[in-house]
Amino acid sequence: MRYQTIPRTDLNVSKICLGTMTWGEQNTEAEGYAQMDLAVDRGVNFFDTAELYPSPVKPRTQGDTEIFIGNWLQKTGKRKDLVLASKIAGDRPFAQHIRPQLGFSKANLEEALDLSLKRLQVDHLDLYQLHWPSRQTNFFGQRDYKHDKTDEWEDNFLEVLTDLDSIIKSGRVRYFGLSNETPWGMMRYLHLSETHDLPRCVSIQNPYSLLNRTFEVGLSEMSIREEVTLLPYSPLGAGMLSGKYHLKTDEPGNRLNKYKHVKRYSSEQSWEATRRYLEIAQANDLTLTQMALAFVNDQPFITSNIIGATNLQQLAENIDSIDIQLSEEVIKAINEVHAQIPNPAP
């Protein structure tokens, strides 16, 4: 395993982060335990979860993922060895069952954090992330910003930072980050943090993969120059970039077969781009999983790559990507495909 410190923190994390959003939906509690055991044995020390999980989101299962992790932490006593991250749900229609009024008010931050700590059975989080903006922007499948004139959101960034400052000073959170945020949103948070001497966001968790490199437009330069690391999720495009759908090794329970609403990764453009990436991998004696994850692992704006799996074989292969170094020829071939079919799954 390789390790890297998240800029402006003392959090030294594995380059592979264990994502957990399938636990409670596609995975049982026992399977979640087995994944955590394997990940820790392989040197992974960074777990990411959210109050919203598991996904797909359902009222009856909301919070189960954190409960599974909490039970495992109590069973193993591993909390002291791990960097633990979770998220508060932003204002999105699919999260309305969590609380009557979503968003990052002081009351919501306090409630969400205390419930996450209770489910996780811990006294603090190393990283607490704002999961989606409260503004109506940055939706899945939307490449460009479209201003919603009916959006009644009022700029409350300073209030959010002030409340996070209080929470951090209480010892329940060490650092905070963003998720699914835009360049404007990151800029506002950074500017207000600097001008009001308030906590600074240290990370941003957005999608990034061979099928979605939109982070490179605007946010990557901000990430590098402002030292706000990307913690990418969906680096395999919901499993499309494993190659199993093209190789006909997929099963009915696989994510894109089971959840038909995840259309951006199975669109005609995503399918064709994946076919071309698979050819590159096969020509260079790589699996597509290895190539796709290795490409993400070594981007200069990334500290840790959030991988997910539904079985131990997948998890082991994902973790093994840390040992793959792509050649200049492979990267050139990848970029040629990207130039021809850019960002088919925003």
Side-chain angles (χ1 to χ4, degrees):
M1 183 52 61
R2 289 149 45 190
Y3 300 87
Q4 190 171 336
T5 300
I6 294 177
R8 298 179 182 246
T9 78
D10 59 0
L11 302 177
N12 191 40
V13 299
S14 48
K15 285 288 288 185
I16 299 294
C17 173
L18 182 62
T20 63
M21 79 174 186
T22 61
W23 304 351
E25 177 63 31
Q26 290 178 269
N27 288 109
T28 64
E29 185 165 359
E31 289 169 340
Y33 286 10
Q35 288 193 33
M36 287 183 275
D37 288 339
L38 175 61
V40 169
D41 286 345
R42 297 291 301 275
V44 173
N45 74 345
F46 190 14
F47 290 4
D48 177 75
T49 189
E51 68 166 351
L52 193 65
Y53 294 165
S55 177
V57 177
K58 299 175 183 176
R60 65 177 177 81
T61 59
Q62 184 262 320
D64 282 358
T65 305
E66 289 185 326
I67 291 172
F68 293 0
I69 296 170
N71 291 341
W72 181 86
L73 290 173
Q74 284 299 305
K75 175 186 174 187
T76 62
K78 294 286 189 182
R79 173 64 183 101
K80 63 183 183 303
D81 303 320
L82 299 173
V83 175
L84 186 59
S86 192
K87 313 179 198 71
I88 174 176
D91 189 359
R92 285 294 183 270
F94 51 75
Q96 295 294 328
H97 58 280
I98 295 181
R99 55 186 63 87
Q101 296 293 324
L102 291 170
F104 307 129
S105 68
K106 182 176 180 60
N108 284 348
L109 283 164
E110 291 285 348
E111 177 189 7
L113 175 60
D114 286 345
L115 287 173
S116 283
L117 293 176
K118 182 178 180 179
R119 287 188 290 262
L120 290 163
Q121 303 181 58
V122 298
D123 61 5
H124 76 281
L125 292 171
D126 298 295
L127 179 65
Y128 198 43
Q129 300 153 102
L130 307 180
H131 202 179
W132 296 97
S134 292
R135 315 180 311 282
Q136 298 304 298
T137 186
N138 226 24
F139 298 100
F140 286 139
Q142 180 178 303
R143 286 186 177 85
D144 307 312
Y145 174 72
K146 293 179 175 62
H147 189 68
D148 183 356
K149 294 180 181 179
T150 66
D151 186 1
E152 298 178 355
W153 172 81
E154 295 181 4
D155 188 335
N156 65 338
F157 283 23
L158 182 58
E159 177 186 347
V160 173
L161 287 170
T162 301
D163 295 337
L164 285 169
D165 183 46
S166 175
I167 286 172
I168 290 171
K169 286 176 177 175
S170 77
R172 290 171 293 162
V173 167
R174 298 191 62 203
Y175 302 98
F176 94 92
L178 310 173
S179 180
N180 295 310
E181 190 51 273
T182 66
W184 183 85
M186 183 195 285
M187 177 200 71
R188 286 288 291 158
Y189 276 115
L190 290 173
H191 173 71
L192 291 170
S193 295
E194 181 177 344
T195 55
H196 293 270
D197 193 26
L198 290 167
R200 197 177 193 275
C201 61
V202 301
S203 62
I204 178 170
Q205 185 176 145
N206 281 30
Y208 184 79
S209 70
L210 292 178
L211 298 177
N212 182 353
R213 293 169 60 176
T214 55
F215 190 87
E216 295 176 18
V217 182
L219 275 167
S220 61
E221 181 178 12
M222 291 186 67
S223 178
I224 293 169
R225 295 189 185 278
E226 298 294 335
E227 297 183 300
V228 179
T229 191
L230 172 64
L231 303 175
Y233 69 84
S234 293
L236 288 178
M240 176 59 73
L241 289 167
S242 69
K244 60 191 171 191
Y245 297 98
H246 289 70
L247 296 171
K248 308 299 183 185
T249 58
D250 59 302
E251 300 174 354
N254 292 148
R255 195 165 188 83
L256 293 179
N257 290 332
K258 190 173 182 179
Y259 306 114
K260 299 297 185 181
H261 65 281
V262 189
K263 296 178 180 179
R264 61 192 179 281
Y265 292 119
S266 54
S267 68
E268 182 179 343
Q269 296 94 332
S270 290
W271 186 272
E272 175 58 19
T274 300
R275 184 190 68 78
R276 298 187 194 188
Y277 289 131
L278 178 60
E279 288 182 349
I280 296 169
Q282 291 174 328
N284 288 275
D285 297 321
L286 296 166
T287 68
L288 181 52
T289 293
Q290 290 172 330
M291 187 181 84
L293 291 178
F295 178 83
V296 174
N297 290 342
D298 286 336
Q299 293 299 323
F301 43 83
I302 288 172
T303 299
S304 188
N305 185 4
I306 303 175
I307 55 96
T310 53
N311 62 61
L312 296 182
Q313 182 180 356
Q314 290 175 351
L315 180 59
E317 182 179 12
N318 292 351
I319 294 173
D320 284 345
S321 71
I322 201 64
D323 299 320
I324 303 296
Q325 184 76 46
L326 299 182
S327 68
E328 291 183 6
E329 290 76 12
V330 169
I331 293 174
K332 180 181 178 182
I334 287 172
N335 285 331
E336 287 174 354
V337 175
H338 176 62
Q340 295 159 3
I341 312 177
N343 303 317

